Amino acid sequence: MDITSGTVHETRALLRSKKISPQELLQALADRIEKIDPAIHGYLSYDLDRALKDAESADLTLPLGGIPIGVKDVISVQGHPCGCGSKILKGYIAPYDATVIKKLRAAGAIPFGRVNMDEFAMGSSTENSAYGPSKNPWDTTRTPGGSSGGSAAIVAADEAFAALGSDTGGSIRQPAALCGCVGVKPTYGRVSRFGLVAFASSLDQIGPLTKDVEDAALLTSIISGADPSDSTSLNQPVPDFSATLKKGVRGMKLGLPKEYFIEGLDPQVEKAIRVAVDHFKGLGAEVLEISLPHTEHALSTYYIIAPAEASANLARFDGVRYGFRAEAPRDLLDHYGKTREQGFGQEVKRRIILGTYVLSSGYYDAYYLRAQKVRTLIRQDFASAFEQVDAVICPTSPTPAFKLGARTDDPLSMYLADIFTLAANMAGICGASIPCGFAEEEGKRLPIGLQILGKELDEARVLQIAYAYEQSTDWHKAKPNL
Ligand code: GLN
């Protein structure tokens, strides 16, 4: 078996027992990437020499000692490019480490590679990357999901042991579902956003994509915690999420929201979720039907709030301070116009225009303010649900991986890919996606994801439920044929 097929905890054991050195591990990883990545395009770049240098001082007694971790191209690593999958940041080198990177380093990990994504994390398929899409390892004619599609693809293809992604409306959970890995979106504020290039600041969270729940718990524990550099980070103690993993689900109440079983839900996905529900009952959990009545408004509300925040956040890319600058402008205004015209892709421009429109005077009350009110209702839906149940279970994505190109001409159909994940970001709660079966299309097996949503700061419970399910099934052990 290839050395890169291991999980983080398995690989850590190999390193600690000196069966392999951190340098050999990195070389094996680079070999795997050279062999596999031309078909996947999960990485935008990686710097083996620098990683080997980092490995010289690796302290193998630390929780992630000597383990390389893939980093989505939206998270700053000092001295490395940070391009957000966009042409406008071409040539930009991050001057500092994001807090999550500092925390990973302190735990002994080696940040490795720049990982492909939809431009500025806007999208559900990586097809908005200025550098071309990533491919789904289970069927390379299909998308790995997005926007953290590169992160999910490299983990599923054993081109990484684990990776970091960011989730604004589903961008960790949806690609995790489509690639058959585990993805965690922590509670808003649980993980510092310092050094994460902002898309929608009130929704963005960094989280891990991993091969199993044990790794997800380990990484989530390590990257969480209050940070003086991010005023929205929560000043709350971080439990050791690994410590409570094995407590099981006996006696727990799980809610199945009736609004998530809608038209457009793929029958194979629905079936897998229903089977998972029975499985949870067999493990001793009680499953109740619940209602999240404002679910139908989540999509439209998200597509007002997220673009509004994006239009403000992306104003900084003016061709003066970072990266790309258009040539031969007539004057300053023309410089801004040309740089942004040439530097941003279509979807990013669409969001900036939408966002500017909903924030403009005269429309602010009708759109932005109203969306904020509906956001509160969505939040309240979850708050009342969590009075009845310990966690919510539902599909992560309405369909398995779709074909590359199938939705690129129709933004609305692309937006629907996140219909089941957006609400958690609007409510600020935590969630995870874990593998729960396969659909079959055109003779290919395509992973299906089960989403587990927990109340604010309840990652420990979400991971405990995820672990109980995972350990009593075999789905996470399946590997694509590459
Ligand atoms: N697909 C959603 C969007 O395009 C969510 C993206 C994300 O979570 N970063 O906005």
Side-chain angles (χ1 to χ4, degrees), residues 316-339:
R316 73 191 65 170
F317 301 108
D318 57 4
V320 176
R321 285 169 289 188
Y322 319 95
F324 173 77
R325 177 177 298 179
E327 279 172 23
R330 275 192 315 278
D331 50 29
L332 186 62
L333 209 59
D334 193 45
H335 155 85
Y336 293 145
K338 276 208 172 102
T339 296

Side-chain angles (χ1 to χ4, degrees), residues 52-118:
L52 285 168
K53 211 151 182 286
D54 285 350
E56 280 169 18
S57 53
D59 178 350
L60 302 184
T61 61
L62 292 170
L64 296 175
I67 306 275
I69 305 280
V71 183
K72 186 178 181 181
D73 196 31
V74 69
I75 299 170
S76 305
V77 179
Q78 184 175 25
H80 290 248
C82 181
C84 300
S86 178
K87 190 177 161 195
I88 210 159
L89 278 169
K90 208 172 180 163
Y92 171 71
I93 304 289
Y96 56 84
D97 275 341
T99 298
V100 289
I101 299 297
K102 281 200 192 118
K103 284 178 181 280
L104 284 183
R105 287 196 202 276
I110 303 171
F112 185 82
R114 304 303 304 170
V115 181
N116 198 18
M117 56 181 281
D118 284 297

Side-chain angles (χ1 to χ4, degrees), residues 72 120-124 146-147 166-172 199 204 302-303 306 347 351 414-415 418 422 425:
K72 186 178 181 181
F120 286 103
M122 298 173 189
S124 307
S147 63
S166 66
D167 190 312
T168 304
S171 279
I172 291 174
F199 161 14
D204 300 339
Y302 173 88
Y303 277 100
E347 182 61 27
R351 306 272 179 121
M414 190 68 90
Y415 296 173
D418 289 307
L422 304 161
N425 301 71

